């Protein structure tokens, strides 16, 4: 046992590919599942959320315009880097969620595999959700799915890594960019995931992670005119309803929350991607 | 510059038998509504056509209960192939009675008979025919081996394509196994009520389709009824937002098809005559009462004068007047309220400094009319370049480069449709790729087909109608 004094980490936000503190200067204490102090995390503010939206909007053109193959490789690279951090993730998940080391490691493995699963979807969506349309006339007519734009993701409160990955990866796979608000009480895996994103090939601004309270930041994102969609997974009840009402003001695409946090190990299907995909249909005459 | 005068070629209205009053169609029968009745008027003549029942909350509740009963007892348990057969029957009945529907649509809506005859009614029949075939193939829509219907669908439709919008809503809902409570627009209920007769002739089980007429309050009652599982709305963005807000916190599924301000982009290599025909079809089809109308013409600067001159020459040959005349190109504005809105926005356009042009010629004395109108010298900040006019009013803007065209086209809260005119294939595909719009017509405009998904980006709504993607909105994953 070494008597070396550990170098502790300062936990920060991840916005536009950089790690700022909250502009508000606010932090909050994060405790493990037994109530012991773990860290002071940044408590993101309205301004941080707005900065993150600007970063996400700025990154949207290039990310959505990348080839599906390229996007798939970039996302797969995230899984590769996660694998190297698996032990760190497992420690954080075990401490935060109060899981045994074995169960925590299983959750981390499932999260990495989930990321791989979504990475493989980027170049399949157009075939599964689009196609040519046999219209009754001399026209070539086809439909393709396209990403909606900037999506605010209120990550699950309980499942701090597998749940987080299960809501973030589908948004990125569609070609949308994301502003994520982490679990309030269990933010450490989100912070580590931002370090993974920063050291893989995901362009800055494509995924922005804010630690803090979705109840506080959610309303700003729900009404923000430059946010195109919102996943309410990390909220419930009256808060979720109020966010949905607010999102209606700019007709955002809304993915509703469920009464109980779902079993994140279940087969995800397409339903976390389809709400943030538009269908574009193009017509052209056929003739000489 | 008329070489020949057209002799009037009026369609006979004797084919329709408009009753003096209509009730609500609930549980397979026409019944009285409890609200104060509305009058529906021919917008081309101001003639009152009929008196229409108005559904109250209680009437809507009765309709929803009938739909729920039919869903639970009859339509839900029915063999999918049999559901399909009912839809095939309806498609055929629409074709058999096509002339009647077309005349009635034109009388109630004011659109030219050629359009109701050649577009609205055939499209409505095609939607039923297309979706009929889906009824026993739902395992192939991509929602698992046994996708389930939502239950009762509450549907609210607009006045611009009354029967066609009914078909876009009712056909996929029924094919997926839902039952329906439909609220037609208050100014155009007649073809929906004739459709109720078609349901009777098809022996469609009572309660599968319920039609509750009325105005905004009736629509709100349908949308907000707690036993409605799926809401589908076509109409204004403002009402769409209210609906999205009102169903927040419920488990209701929602699709919205809302307003638009489509850019129709003409590049300098486009064949001008062909583009002009497309511009005319884009903005003057159905008096411009089209959510996907090509109301913002973006012309490359070098061909602006040539295109505008050709366009004005062509507009000078359009015939505005009696919708029942088969020579008519532009019919009546659907209501005095809509006419007032068009006049208001056109007045704002002039006040903001855009240059207004209208062809010579007189308009009929009775009824609601507005001349085809072209604004030039329009800036992107003008209200007529931003707001949906929903009338025969075109705003012309210019651009120099493809990038500028895309930026201007996308500079809108809406994103329903767009047009591109160019002879260069790679340019068309590149621009189509960059446009944030749900439907892009290249070297054509305002084409529709039941196999082809339709719907918008951004504040033009969400969800699609048509095709496999459109059908999915009426199903839940198994």
């Amino acid at each position: 046992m070494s008597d070396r004094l550990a170098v502790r980490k300062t936990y920060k936000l991840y916005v536009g590919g950089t790690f700022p503190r909250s502009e508000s200067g606010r932090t909050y204490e994060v405790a493990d599942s037994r109530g012991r102090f773990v860290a002071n995390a940044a408590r993101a503010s309205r301004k941080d959320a707005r900065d993150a939206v600007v970063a996400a909007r700025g990154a949207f053109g290039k990310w959505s315009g990348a080839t599906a193959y390229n996007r798939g490789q970039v996302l797969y690279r995230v899984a590769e880097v996660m694998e190297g951090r698996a032990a760190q993730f497992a420690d954080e998940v075990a401490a935060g969620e109060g899981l045994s080391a074995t169960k925590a490691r299983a959750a981390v493995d499932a999260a990495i595999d989930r990321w791989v699963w979504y990475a493989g979807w980027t170049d399949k969506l157009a075939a599964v959700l689009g196609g040519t349309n046999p219209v009754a006339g001399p026209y070539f007519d086809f439909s393709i799915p396209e990403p909606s734009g900037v999506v605010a993701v209120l990550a699950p409160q309980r499942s701090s890594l597998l749940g987080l990955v299960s809501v973030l990866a589908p948004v990125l796979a569609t070609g949308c960019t994301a502003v994520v608000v982490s679990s309030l009480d269990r933010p450490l895996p989100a912070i580590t995931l931002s370090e993974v994103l920063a050291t893989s090939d995901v362009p800055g601004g494509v995924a922005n992670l804010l630690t803090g309270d979705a109840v506080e930041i959610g309303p700003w994102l729900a009404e923000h005119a430059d946010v195109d969609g919102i996943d309410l997974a990390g909220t419930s009840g009256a808060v979720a309803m109020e966010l949905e009402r607010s999102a209606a003001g700019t007709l955002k695409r809304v993915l509703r929350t469920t009464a109980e946090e779902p079993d994140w190990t279940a087969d995800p299907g397409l339903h976390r991607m389809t709400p943030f995909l538009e269908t574009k249909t193009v017509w052209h005459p056929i003739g000489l | 510059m008329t070489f020949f005068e057209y002799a009037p070629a009026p369609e006979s209205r004797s084919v329709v038998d408009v009753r003096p009053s209509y009730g609500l169609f609930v549980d397979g029968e026409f019944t009285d509504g409890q609200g104060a009745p509305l009058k529906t008027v021919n917008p081309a003549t101001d003639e009152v056509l009929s008196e229409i029942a108005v559904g109250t909350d209680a009437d809507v509740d009765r309709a929803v209960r009938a739909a729920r009963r039919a869903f639970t007892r009859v339509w839900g348990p029915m063999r999918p192939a049999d559901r399909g057969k009912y839809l095939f029957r309806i498609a055929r009945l629409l074709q058999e009675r096509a002339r009647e529907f077309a005349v009635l649509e034109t009388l109630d809506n004011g659109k030219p008979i050629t359009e109701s005859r050649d577009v609205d009614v055939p499209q409505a029949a095609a939607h039923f025919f297309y979706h009929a075939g889906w009824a026993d193939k739902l395992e192939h829509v991509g929602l698992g081996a046994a996708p389930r219907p939502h239950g009762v669908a509450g549907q609210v439709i607009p006045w611009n394509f009354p029967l066609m919008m009914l078909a876009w809503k009712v056909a996929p809902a029924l094919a997926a196994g839902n039952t329906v409570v439909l609220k037609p627009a208050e100014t155009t209920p007649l073809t929906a009520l004739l459709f109720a007769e078609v349901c009777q002739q098809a022996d469609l089980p009572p309660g599968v389709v319920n039609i509750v007429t009325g105005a905004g309050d009736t629509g709100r009652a349908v949308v907000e009824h707690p036993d409605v599982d799926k809401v589908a709305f076509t109409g204004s963005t403002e009402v769409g937002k209210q609906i999205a807000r009102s169903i927040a916190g419920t488990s209701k599924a929602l699709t919205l098809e809302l307003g638009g301000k489509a850019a129709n982009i003409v590049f300098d290599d486009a064949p001008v005559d062909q583009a002009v025909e497309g511009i005319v079809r884009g903005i003057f089809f159905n008096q411009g009462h089209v959510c996907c109308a090509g109301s913002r013409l973006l012309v490359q600067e070098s061909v602006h004068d040539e295109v505008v001159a050709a366009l004005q020459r062509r507009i000078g040959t359009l015939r505005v007047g009696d919708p029942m005349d088969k020579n008519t190109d532009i019919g009546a504005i659907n209501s005095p309220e809509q006419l007032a809105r068009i006049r208001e926005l056109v007045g704002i356009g002039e006040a903001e400094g855009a240059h207004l042009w209208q062809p010579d010629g007189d308009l009929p004395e009775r009824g609601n009319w507005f001349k085809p109108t072209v604004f030039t010298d329009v800036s992107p900040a003008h209200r007529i370049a931003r707001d949906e006019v929903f009338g025969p009013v075109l705003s012309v803007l210019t651009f120099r480069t493809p990038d500028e065209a895309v930026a201007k086209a996308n500079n809108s809260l809406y994103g329903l449709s767009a047009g591109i005119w160019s002879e260069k294939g790679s340019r068309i595909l590149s621009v189509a790729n960059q446009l944030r719009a749900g439907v892009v017509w290249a070297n054509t405009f305002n084409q529709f087909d039941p196999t082809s998904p339709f719907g918008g980006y951004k504040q033009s709504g969400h969800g699609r109608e048509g095709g496999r993607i459109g059908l999915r909105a009426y199903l839940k994953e198994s």
Side-chain angles (χ1 to χ4, degrees), chain A residues 128 136 146 148 253 256 280-281, chain B residues 252 432 435 438 440 457 461 468:
Chain A
V128 171
E146 288 190 346
S148 300
R253 284 66 178 131
R256 287 185 180 136
K280 177 184 281 175
T281 299
Chain B
K252 290 177 189 178
L435 291 173
V440 178
Y457 286 48
R468 187 166 59 112

Side-chain angles (χ1 to χ4, degrees), chain B residues 215-262:
Chain B
D217 287 343
T218 310
R220 196 173 302 115
V222 171
V223 167
E224 295 183 0
H225 194 289
D227 205 31
V228 164
D229 303 297
K230 154 81 193 165
V231 173
F233 171 75
T234 296
S236 72
T237 290
E238 186 194 341
V239 175
K241 289 179 182 180
Q242 289 169 16
I243 290 173
R245 203 170 287 128
S246 78
I247 68 151
T250 70
S251 58
K252 290 177 189 178
L254 176 66
T255 42
L256 296 171
E257 205 273 88
L258 309 175
K261 190 75 190 175

Side-chain angles (χ1 to χ4, degrees), chain A residues 10-14 19-22 40-42 191 194 209 211:
Chain A
T10 307
Y11 292 94
K12 298 198 279 188
L13 310 175
Y14 181 57
F19 292 92
R21 294 186 169 86
S22 171
N40 289 309
I191 296 164
S194 35
L209 283 91
T211 50

Side-chain angles (χ1 to χ4, degrees), chain B residues 335-370:
Chain B
S335 67
E337 294 73 26
Q338 188 56 30
L339 183 59
R341 161 140 181 105
I342 295 167
R343 284 182 174 148
E344 184 196 344
L345 275 164
V346 165
I348 291 170
E350 286 190 280
E352 287 187 334
H355 179 257
L356 175 141
W357 178 89
Q358 290 177 327
D360 296 332
D362 299 325
L363 295 174
E365 282 176 11
R366 293 171 65 213
N368 314 313
W369 306 95
F370 201 83

Side-chain angles (χ1 to χ4, degrees), chain A residues 88-249:
Chain A
Q88 183 188 353
F89 276 124
D91 287 349
E92 290 167 350
V93 168
E97 300 183 21
L99 298 179
S100 69
T102 315
K103 284 188 172 164
R105 179 64 206 219
V108 172
D109 291 348
I112 297 169
D113 291 351
R114 177 65 37 84
W115 204 289
V116 170
W117 190 77
Y118 276 114
W121 263 116
T122 57
D123 51 4
K124 320 300 183 286
L125 288 170
V128 171
L129 297 172
T132 56
N133 307 309
V135 298
Y139 297 93
F140 178 55
D141 183 273
F142 63 94
S143 295
I144 43 167
E146 288 190 346
S148 300
V150 173
V151 177
V153 177
L154 308 180
Q157 297 300 331
R158 299 172 65 85
S159 182
S160 56
L161 182 66
L162 177 57
L164 171 68
V165 165
S166 298
V167 293
L168 175 59
V171 168
L172 301 186
T174 62
C176 290
T177 55
V179 175
V180 182
V181 182
S182 74
S183 164
L184 174 64
D185 294 335
R186 302 168 178 178
L188 265 52
I191 296 164
T192 303
L193 183 65
S194 35
E195 293 166 5
V196 166
L197 294 166
T199 53
S200 57
D201 298 323
V202 179
V206 168
N208 304 276
L209 283 91
L210 306 174
T211 50
D213 191 352
V215 175
E216 180 196 350
I217 308 168
W220 303 118
L221 292 168
E223 73 176 33
H224 197 300
D226 214 21
V227 172
D228 300 287
I230 186 164
D231 180 343
L232 300 174
T235 61
S236 58
V239 171
M241 184 177 96
E242 207 40 61
L243 291 173
E244 189 180 342
R245 288 176 64 88
S246 179

